[in-house]
Amino acid sequence: MNNEKILKLSSITKKLLLALFGTFLLVFLLFHMVANLFILADDGGDAYSAFCHFMGTNMFVKVAELVLLGCFILHIGLAGYLWFCNRGKRPVRYHQPSRTKTAKGSKLAMISGSLLLVLLIFHFYDFYFVKLNVVKGGHYMVKTEEFVLSNPDQEVSEEAQIVVMKAIQDQKVSSDGQSLRDLSLEDKEILQQNFPDAEFEPDFYNTAHDKFSVWHIVLCYLVFFFVVGLHIRHGFESAFQTFGLNHYKYSRLIQILGIIYCWIVCLGFAVVPLTVFIKSLIA
Amino acid sequence: MNFTLHIWRQENATAEGHFETYKVSDISPDCSFLEMLDILNEQLINDKIAHPVCFDNDCREGICGMCGLYINGRPHGNDDGITTCQLHMRKFHDGDEIWIEPWRAKAFPIIRDLVVDRSAFDKIIQAGGYISVTTGGVPDANTIPVPKRFADMAMDAAECIGCGACVAACKNASAMLFVGAKVAHLAMLPQGHVEAQERVKKMVCRMDELGFGSCTNTYACEAECPKQIKRQNIARMNREWIKQLFAGNHKPAE
Amino acid sequence: MNLNSKIPEGPLSEKWTRYKAMQKLVNPANKRKLDIIVVGTGLAGASAAASLGALGFNVDIFCIQDSPRRAHSIAAQGGINAAKNYQNDGDSVERLFRDTIKGGDYRAREANVYRLAEVSGDIIDQCVAQGVPFARDYSGLLDNRSFGGAQVSRTFYARGQTGQQLLLGAYGALSREIERGSVKLHNRCEMEELVLIKDKDGMERARGIIVRNLVSGKLERYSAHAVVLATGGYGNVYFLSTNAMNSNGSAAWICHRKGAAFANPCYVQIHPTCIPVHGDYQSKLTLMSESLRNDGRIWVPKKKEDAEAIRAGKKKANDIPEEERDYYLERRYPAFGNLVPRDVASRAAKERCDAGYGVAPTGLAVFLDFSDAIKRLGKKVVEQKYGNLFQMYQKITDENPYETPMMIYPAVHYTMGGLWVDYELQTTIPGLFAAGEANFSDHGANRLGASALMQGLADGYFVLPYTLQNYLSDQITLGKIPTDSPEFDEAEKAVRQREEKLMGIGGDKTVDYFHKKLGHIMWEYVGMSRNEESLTKAKTMIDELEDEFWSNLRVPGNIESFNPEMEKALRLADYFELARLITADAMHRKESCGGHFRTEMQTEDGETKRDDENFMYVAAWEYQGHNNPEILHKEPLNYEHIKIATRNYKN
């Protein structure tokens, strides 16, 4: 299919694709939310780090990640394109603002979506881009074995020694004793100079704890989740409608499921920064 | 009752339009909205102030689908499940300001004042909104039983009067409810199954060509439909569309 | 003028079969060479155009609204009759035929009515195949309901919107032909003149029409080998009626002026259950289904003081005790009670109101009371049966019919009269056909409920496609008819002159002012009951009003623009002539039959009294120029098959 043909897809097909990509994202959100809950485990980040490690290294996950990224881009791109197409359909606008009772989530979908995109960039800056090593920041971790193995005989600089000593002193060793965590960017760079082959990973557990101890960041994230909620409130029901699965008999059920899903995802996301923040207050 | 009316005036399709303000007084609360406009027009002709306001209307009992005004931000005015001709002045308060606008959509160009050209709807139906039978040569009416449930659902969809309120209400000026209602009505009946896939394909393509927007699932159409046709008909159309997408074309053997 | 009804030879039940077997046909290749104009897109027009287009003719179809689907057939509620006998209750073609003849008070043509009954079943088959969602029972088979004037259940229905669904079916068929290119649609066009051209034998044939493009106001010419008129009835001459605002009699009247005979104009059906007039600003009357009379009881106060108190708003209906209520229909017609036929119920309501017992501020309404039914059946059952009607009533009147009785009054509903047509539906102008309510049709002096839809579709689907071919078979060599002939020039000039004349009056009064006045005259003096005196009075008043119209009318705007006032003025100008003809016809028919009630001709109990000896004919009138009395031609009605009897509803 060439470009022209894609652009000529019928309005329903475009909408179908939009919904299809959106559905992937909906599923992903649930997954992401569940993963986040590991942060709440009171194990100093063992479980979460293990999970992050798996996610960062597994081949299938990497493929899935690419698909997901594609979904994001296509979902956003299509939404933008449809919006652009629809813009000219009412050349002269009404003088009076509409007083029709409508599904607010859908009416605001474009706005909530655009807002999401902006917030998402910040979120990516905090986490995802760090993972991709596009942005440097937050905390890092490294497997101690790898250090030793990568550089068994080499002299280690004094600086590095101090870093390691300090880390051990501050109990920045994982409970299995196999990795160093909670390393600051500076520490990581010092170590990296000494152990060029060691593979450092971002330590999202501690990064999250760090960020979520600051009230305005927590607030920003809560707003973010609210907007996510607004958007999927529209998305869930709309997906059924667009896939033609809305039927008199089930429409109420779909509505209820949509609301439940929306609350689960929103609360599931919100509980992490809130708990971390409260914990930090107590501490 | 007294009202101040702000009415869109536009000489013809190409002229610039603007709002004009008129006052009407001593209107009975039992008066229908269109009768109130009749009174205004009588006044305009008698006083030789301006050309009477043009607006489409015909049966004045809510079935022909001819009338349609955008009144104070709502197609067919501030009541549910009615056409403009069924709106009565008792729904307003004495002294109200009323803004009256034509349907606004790229696919519905203005002819004069509040009259718009809705032939686009006819063209969508012409694309395939029917069962292709010619007169005569059909089986006896009771040959194919239709479950009552389906017949009733088909009737729900078939009640569409083609007034265009769905397009007027939709933020994208989409005709999905209109097309969905016809597609669903015919797809629900065994007689309509035969052409269901071809029908949805042709009608949707025609709809897109004619400059209607796409659906964003806000259901403004459903909220303003004078016959309260449901969004499920749009879902039905989407379903038919998907079936059609995956159906193979018949290619004759070489 | 020669009224040849061209009824085929042979026994009644074989006439149509024989006609079809013997008629001339046009071969497929030649159909392409023939053009047909169809004016009107209601049931008759749309079905005719779709069927003719499918046969291969080139059809041009015209409607005044923005879409063919707006035609007023859409507003028919009740249903459509067909002799299917699905209920096994003894229905048959013969019985439908007899019921229709009897319902029409023995003033319809036997052969036409029999054909109507014969094709009625095919209509249902056709509509079901088109996807009309008729009501069905739990077996999935078609459901029927019963209707006035019949002892069997033969009415097929789609909720309260049968007309809408049938029209959308025909509109679908029409749309299909438009897509295929065999039919060309011209919306927002109104026929303003019929063009007659002499053929080589010197016979004038209908060859085209001049239409006003309602958007631009420009005149356009269209030619064809035959013209079909399906433009509905002329009920709007009464201004207030159940007709749509744009329904009008002009197209038929234009043809009448050009030489087509107009038959039985005085047969006007008045429907008893309409929402009454509530103010002089009112533009239209809304029908409440006849079915309400099954459980509702109709009454007015026994005492005039009570009626006056109600009119003044001092008393409410519920303040009148049971013994002070006059259930006049039950009193006068013990056997049928509230279920007497439409014309009888209408006249009885008028009689009470004229006598000063009317309710509502105008004094022109009677009560339709459901309190007994609610007591007997419970509110829930009543709601199930009539909920949507009650809701409609409440929307319009803002009164709750569950608590206070409804107010109803008769209103003009349907016109049985129309252009005279023969068995082939051809008018007295060769090449001009009329179908549906526009022709004088098969209903005699009174139409039964659910028969109008049947007739419109019968004409369009199953009669015209045959009879038109018979007419067109010798026209194939003619070729396309040019529209630049002197006949077209002249016709167009005449229309422009008429428009200019109306525009040039430059008076002070609006079209509606005159129309309301005319409607008032017609309703008062040529309405539900007529007599020599009222008709004479009406004639003078119409003449006076017409003079005033032509000297004091004001049409704003320009001729060549979108100008609804101009359209209305053109129609009203014709209504004056039509009103005069209705009056003249009512005057000449010194008998009472069906919808035509002469007070001089009634039985001792105030019922209609026919005069079969002197008036057993169709009155077909020939136009003689503006203001000249028209010439009456009679087509005798010969009943070979049916024995004539009197209608009786008392016992």
Side-chain angles (χ1 to χ4, degrees):
Chain A
M1 239 191 297
N2 55 30
N3 283 345
E4 208 173 306
K5 250 192 174 165
I6 292 172
L7 293 182
K8 268 193 184 161
L9 286 180
S10 101
S11 60
I12 299 185
T13 308
K14 282 182 216 146
K15 184 78 190 163
L16 271 172
L17 291 172
L18 183 72
L20 190 69
F21 300 137
T23 310
F24 276 123
L25 298 180
L26 273 178
V27 175
F28 161 71
L29 267 185
L30 193 67
F31 183 73
H32 189 338
M33 186 273 287
V34 172
N36 282 5
L37 292 178
F38 283 111
I39 294 179
L40 296 182
D42 206 11
D43 59 356
D46 287 344
Y48 189 65
S49 298
F51 175 74
C52 286
H53 179 73
F54 172 77
M55 294 302 286
T57 48
N58 186 289
M59 266 309 288
F60 291 107
V61 175
K62 285 201 166 161
V63 173
E65 192 178 316
L66 278 179
V67 171
L68 185 69
L69 205 65
C71 279
F72 257 112
I73 292 165
L74 287 170
H75 184 77
I76 294 163
L78 262 175
Y81 179 61
L82 272 172
W83 174 79
F84 177 78
C85 290
N86 284 333
R87 241 171 28 127
K89 304 303 183 191
R90 179 164 292 134
V92 183
R93 305 183 68 83
Y94 289 113
H95 178 274
Q96 286 288 295
S98 167
R99 280 177 211 166
T100 301
K101 286 166 246 143
T102 51
K104 288 286 173 311
S106 300
K107 203 165 186 189
L108 299 175
M110 199 58 213
I111 296 168
S112 63
S114 316
L115 206 58
L116 271 188
L117 188 61
V118 175
L119 291 168
L120 207 58
I121 290 168
F122 285 104
H123 175 60
F124 277 12
Y125 191 84
D126 280 354
F127 296 95
Y128 189 61
F129 290 159
V130 176
K131 184 185 162 202
L132 294 184
N133 214 6
V134 181
V135 171
K136 294 191 167 89
H139 298 261
Y140 292 87
M141 60 184 189
V142 66
K143 287 221 162 171
T144 41
E145 259 174 59
E146 279 174 20
F147 257 62
V148 183
L149 289 178
S150 67
N151 218 339
D153 313 317
Q154 201 186 314
E155 283 283 307
V156 174
S157 77
E158 208 171 319
E159 261 182 320
Q161 278 178 0
I162 295 169
V163 170
V164 175
M165 292 298 286
K166 201 158 185 297
I168 295 167
Q169 205 171 6
D170 294 350
Q171 294 178 331
K172 287 181 177 174
V173 186
S174 64
S175 50
D176 59 3
Q178 290 196 344
S179 49
L180 278 183
R181 294 194 301 223
D182 202 7
L183 301 169
S184 70
L185 182 61
E186 286 165 8
D187 293 349
K188 176 212 165 201
E189 270 167 4
I190 292 167
L191 291 179
Q192 212 158 24
Q193 278 169 9
N194 290 282
F195 307 103
D197 292 340
E199 282 193 24
F200 287 84
E201 282 177 55
D203 177 3
F204 287 140
Y205 177 82
N206 285 302
T207 308
H209 273 78
D210 220 30
K211 297 221 181 254
F212 294 157
S213 312
V214 186
W215 71 269
H216 58 260
I217 294 184
V218 173
L219 194 70
C220 280
Y221 269 93
L222 289 181
V223 170
F224 182 33
F225 300 144
F226 176 76
V227 180
V228 169
L230 211 66
H231 200 69
I232 60 174
R233 177 80 184 78
H234 146 80
F236 191 91
E237 238 181 280
S238 288
F240 278 90
Q241 171 79 1
T242 305
F243 292 139
L245 299 174
N246 191 2
H247 190 276
Y248 301 100
K249 196 168 175 184
Y250 308 110
S251 48
R252 190 84 202 113
L253 182 72
I254 292 168
Q255 255 174 23
I256 293 168
L257 282 180
I259 293 169
I260 293 173
Y261 187 88
C262 182
W263 278 107
I264 288 179
V265 169
C266 279
L267 290 180
F269 273 125
V271 75
V272 174
L274 277 176
T275 318
V276 171
F277 182 64
I278 292 165
K279 269 188 189 166
S280 78
L281 277 186
I282 296 166
Chain B
M1 296 172 97
N2 302 320
F3 301 101
T4 308
L5 309 173
H6 304 280
I7 302 176
W8 182 261
R9 304 302 310 262
Q10 183 172 334
E11 190 109 9
N12 55 51
T14 49
E16 279 278 308
H18 62 280
F19 279 99
E20 199 72 66
T21 305
Y22 305 101
K23 286 196 184 297
V24 286
S25 46
D26 289 331
I27 301 292
S28 155
D30 290 332
C31 197
S32 78
F33 195 83
L34 296 185
E35 282 162 359
M36 186 273 295
L37 289 180
D38 287 343
I39 293 171
L40 169 72
N41 276 346
E42 190 93 6
Q43 199 175 304
L44 292 180
I45 300 170
N46 284 334
D47 300 350
K48 300 178 189 171
I49 307 170
H51 193 277
V53 179
C54 297
F55 58 95
D56 261 337
N57 70 100
D58 201 13
C59 78
R60 295 211 180 181
E61 52 185 279
I63 191 76
C64 74
M66 190 90 171
C67 64
L69 302 174
Y70 196 81
I71 303 162
N72 283 350
R74 284 190 69 182
H76 294 309
N78 194 23
D79 200 353
D80 293 337
I82 55 158
T83 56
T84 304
C85 62
Q86 292 173 305
L87 180 68
H88 283 76
M89 297 317 289
R90 66 178 88 92
K91 283 272 160 195
F92 294 87
H93 302 288
D94 192 20
D96 270 0
E97 299 221 355
I98 305 174
W99 290 83
I100 308 170
E101 302 175 64
W103 285 173
R104 298 251 185 232
K106 187 180 165 202
F108 290 168
I110 291 180
I111 291 176
R112 182 169 194 170
D113 296 344
L114 304 169
V115 179
V116 299
D117 180 3
R118 283 169 292 196
S119 355
F121 268 9
D122 285 332
K123 291 188 184 121
I124 295 177
I125 296 292
Q126 283 157 21
Y130 42 77
I131 295 171
S132 302
V133 286
T134 37
T135 310
V138 295
D140 183 88
N142 258 350
T143 309
I144 309 169
V146 181
K148 181 170 162 50
R149 198 161 49 93
F150 291 173
D152 286 347
M153 281 201 289
M155 182 63 202
D156 286 339
E159 283 188 30
C160 168
I161 57 173
C163 65
C166 44
V167 176
C170 177
K171 71 189 182 79
N172 303 329
S174 168
M176 289 286 273
L177 191 64
F178 172 77
V179 183
K182 185 47 75 186
V183 167
H185 156 211
L186 295 175
M188 218 95 70
L189 299 170
Q191 290 84 357
H193 273 172
V194 184
E195 290 170 287
Q197 293 181 0
E198 273 298 292
R199 178 181 307 118
V200 70
K201 195 163 144 188
K202 287 178 180 164
M203 288 181 79
V204 169
C205 291
R206 184 71 57 89
M207 170 183 82
D208 286 348
E209 276 165 36
L210 289 167
F212 292 100
S214 67
C215 183
T216 27
N217 302 337
T218 66
Y219 313 127
C221 47
E222 186 188 48
E224 295 299 1
C225 176
K227 296 295 152 189
Q228 302 185 312
I229 289 171
K230 296 284 174 268
R231 67 182 75 163
Q232 280 79 2
N233 292 299
I234 298 179
R236 175 79 198 217
M237 169 165 66
N238 291 340
R239 196 148 79 234
E240 295 297 328
W241 178 261
I242 295 169
K243 278 193 220 163
Q244 170 275 128
L245 273 184
F246 290 101
N249 287 331
H250 170 72
K251 286 215 176 97
E254 306 245 332
Chain C
M1 184 179 284
N2 177 26
L3 296 180
N4 179 5
S5 55
K6 294 193 217 153
I7 295 170
E9 291 300 311
L12 190 63
S13 58
E14 281 168 37
K15 284 184 194 293
W16 182 233
T17 320
R18 279 196 196 190
Y19 176 89
K20 286 193 287 186
M22 309 298 283
Q23 72 163 121
K24 287 174 275 180
L25 294 173
V26 180
N27 90 25
N30 285 332
K31 286 188 183 120
R32 282 194 289 273
K33 297 180 196 155
L34 293 167
D35 303 328
I36 299 170
I37 282 173
V38 178
V39 188
T41 57
L43 285 179
S47 57
S51 306
L52 292 165
L55 283 174
F57 293 105
N58 300 313
V59 183
D60 282 283
I61 189 162
F62 298 83
C63 68
I64 54 176
Q65 296 92 344
D66 69 335
S67 161
R69 65 185 294 161
R70 314 276 185 228
H72 200 51
S73 304
I74 203 136
Q77 300 173 351
I80 175 166
N81 287 333
K84 279 284 197 188
N85 195 26
Y86 282 160
Q87 307 302 325
N88 192 31
D89 55 1
D91 198 11
S92 63
V93 169
E94 177 75 25
R95 193 169 286 275
L96 174 55
F97 156 70
R98 283 175 180 274
D99 284 347
T100 308
I101 290 277
K102 184 182 164 199
D105 222 354
Y106 303 95
R107 288 292 176 269
R109 199 188 279 150
E110 261 190 341
N112 285 50
V113 178
Y114 196 89
R115 176 179 62 190
L116 175 66
E118 231 179 317
V119 301
S120 65
D122 297 345
I123 297 172
I124 304 301
D125 299 342
Q126 186 66 33
C127 293
V128 166
Q130 283 171 346
V132 171
F134 281 122
R136 287 171 186 270
D137 54 31
Y138 285 98
S139 63
L141 301 178
L142 291 162
D143 194 17
N144 289 117
R145 56 164 69 141
S146 53
F147 239 73
Q151 288 164 310
V152 295
S153 289
R154 65 159 76 97
T155 306
F156 294 80
Y157 64 100
R159 298 207 183 130
Q161 289 117 293
T162 318
Q164 181 198 24
Q165 293 311 315
L166 295 177
L167 182 63
L168 292 183
Y171 163 70
L174 176 67
S175 296
R176 172 172 176 250
E177 294 308 319
I178 294 171
E179 187 74 2
R180 290 176 58 194
S182 60
V183 177
K184 204 160 174 292
L185 170 69
H186 307 268
N187 62 349
R188 293 193 194 269
C189 280
E190 183 155 11
M191 172 178 166
E192 298 294 356
E193 195 56 280
L194 178 73
V195 183
L196 303 179
I197 299 179
K198 279 193 178 130
D199 64 8
K200 56 184 190 308
D201 304 325
M203 195 211 289
E204 276 196 321
R205 292 174 188 263
R207 288 300 192 206
I209 59 171
I210 306 289
V211 301
R212 178 181 159 86
N213 181 322
L214 299 182
V215 174
S216 65
K218 291 193 164 57
L219 298 177
E220 294 168 6
R221 303 172 178 195
Y222 295 92
S223 68
H225 298 90
V227 177
V228 176
L229 214 64
T231 52
Y234 48 86
N236 263 345
V237 71
Y238 288 82
F239 187 70
L240 285 180
S241 76
T242 62
N243 284 14
M245 302 304 288
N246 294 315
S247 302
N248 68 82
S250 281
W253 193 256
I254 286 159
C255 297
H256 177 54
R257 267 205 304 257
K258 285 277 176 167
F262 207 100
N264 298 335
C266 77
Y267 292 159
V268 175
Q269 181 168 76
I270 292 171
H271 200 293
T273 48
C274 296
I275 298 175
V277 180
H278 48 73
D280 55 2
Y281 50 81
Q282 196 162 356
S283 56
K284 115 132 222 159
L285 295 171
T286 306
L287 181 78
M288 300 297 292
S289 172
E290 195 170 47
S291 61
L292 288 172
R293 285 197 281 141
N294 280 310
D295 286 309
R297 295 179 72 195
I298 295 175
W299 63 274
V300 290
K302 265 185 190 159
K303 289 191 204 139
K304 259 190 198 168
E305 307 89 79
D306 283 342
E308 275 156 17
I310 290 172
R311 288 206 286 273
K314 287 179 198 147
K315 272 190 180 175
K316 294 259 182 302
N318 295 334
D319 299 337
I320 314 291
E322 188 62 29
E323 60 276 12
E324 296 298 326
R325 299 178 176 189
D326 175 16
Y327 296 93
Y328 60 86
L329 283 177
E330 297 168 26
R331 171 169 59 80
R332 283 178 65 177
Y333 308 99
F336 276 66
N338 293 299
L339 274 173
V340 288
R342 287 176 181 179
D343 52 339
V344 180
S346 296
R347 277 193 294 274
K350 180 176 159 50
E351 188 273 327
R352 281 292 85 187
C353 293
D354 288 351
Y357 295 94
V359 293
T362 53
L364 294 175
V366 297
F367 287 123
L368 177 60
D369 199 336
F370 281 85
S371 52
D372 274 2
I374 292 172
K375 255 183 244 155
R376 181 163 45 90
L377 305 166
K379 192 181 164 188
K380 208 159 188 185
V381 176
V382 172
E383 198 175 338
Q384 267 168 11
K385 271 177 135 170
Y386 307 111
N388 59 340
L389 292 166
F390 279 28
Q391 201 184 357
M392 185 163 100
Y393 181 85
Q394 190 163 11
K395 279 248 167 42
I396 296 174
T397 62
D398 205 23
E399 276 174 8
N400 184 351
Y402 294 103
E403 283 156 19
T404 50
M406 282 186 185
M407 286 195 275
I408 52 154
Y409 199 67
V412 173
H413 182 53
Y414 186 89
T415 53
M416 279 74 68
L419 291 177
W420 183 91
V421 289
D422 58 21
Y423 190 73
E424 297 185 300
L425 302 185
Q426 187 165 211
T427 66
T428 50
I429 299 176
L432 177 69
F433 293 75
E437 194 181 345
N439 67 27
F440 86 105
S441 86
D442 311 329
H443 306 298
N446 176 51
R447 177 178 66 77
L448 289 181
S451 280
L453 302 183
M454 172 173 66
Q455 185 226 339
L457 289 180
D459 289 357
Y461 283 133
F462 298 111
V463 180
L464 281 175
Y466 291 92
T467 61
L468 258 173
Q469 286 195 61
N470 196 38
Y471 170 77
L472 289 169
S473 58
D474 60 351
Q475 316 268 309
I476 42 179
T477 52
L478 218 60
K480 187 130 189 96
I481 293 159
T483 55
D484 52 1
S485 59
E487 288 89 345
F488 271 96
D489 291 346
E490 212 171 289
E492 187 178 315
K493 217 171 91 192
V495 177
R496 213 10 50 115
Q497 274 172 358
R498 207 149 59 223
E499 288 173 339
E500 277 163 4
K501 194 175 168 196
L502 286 164
M503 191 57 95
I505 300 170
D508 295 322
K509 300 285 193 233
T510 63
V511 180
D512 281 354
Y513 166 85
F514 291 106
H515 198 171
K516 279 180 187 174
K517 279 197 145 183
L518 176 66
H520 186 75
I521 298 169
M522 293 302 287
W523 181 244
E524 282 301 310
Y525 307 109
V526 201
M528 270 184 283
S529 57
R530 303 129 179 204
N531 55 48
E532 186 93 30
E533 193 195 331
S534 77
L535 292 168
T536 318
K537 199 165 171 190
K539 193 183 172 306
T540 334
M541 289 176 85
I542 294 166
D543 288 346
E544 280 168 13
L545 189 66
E546 194 186 18
D547 286 345
E548 198 194 341
F549 171 82
W550 285 108
S551 59
N552 202 14
L553 173 75
R554 184 176 147 73
V555 180
N558 310 314
I559 292 175
E560 288 208 350
S561 71
F562 184 85
N563 192 346
E565 287 296 314
M566 183 46 132
E567 300 162 23
K568 288 198 281 184
L570 283 161
R571 294 169 195 163
L572 184 57
D574 295 334
Y575 278 141
F576 282 110
E577 290 188 325
L578 183 53
R580 250 201 310 273
L581 185 64
I582 296 173
T583 314
D585 188 43
M587 183 83 98
H588 113 278
R589 193 169 278 279
K590 292 190 175 56
E591 65 160 350
S592 296
C593 60
H596 171 61
F597 187 73
R598 287 283 297 254
T599 52
E600 306 97 319
M601 289 295 290
Q602 52 181 314
T603 63
E604 287 163 12
D605 315 318
E607 304 310 324
T608 54
K609 200 164 136 196
R610 284 202 320 262
D611 178 357
D612 290 336
E613 210 156 292
N614 295 310
F615 291 98
M616 196 78 176
Y617 60 77
V618 174
W621 299 85
E622 188 184 353
Y623 191 74
Q624 295 296 310
H626 183 73
N627 258 336
N628 296 331
E630 304 207 0
I631 292 177
L632 172 68
H633 299 272
K634 297 176 184 176
E635 182 209 338
L637 291 168
N638 302 317
Y639 283 93
E640 295 167 354
H641 198 76
I642 265 187
K643 203 171 154 277
I644 296 160
T646 317
R647 299 195 300 173
N648 173 10
Y649 305 105
K650 289 190 182 288
N651 39 49

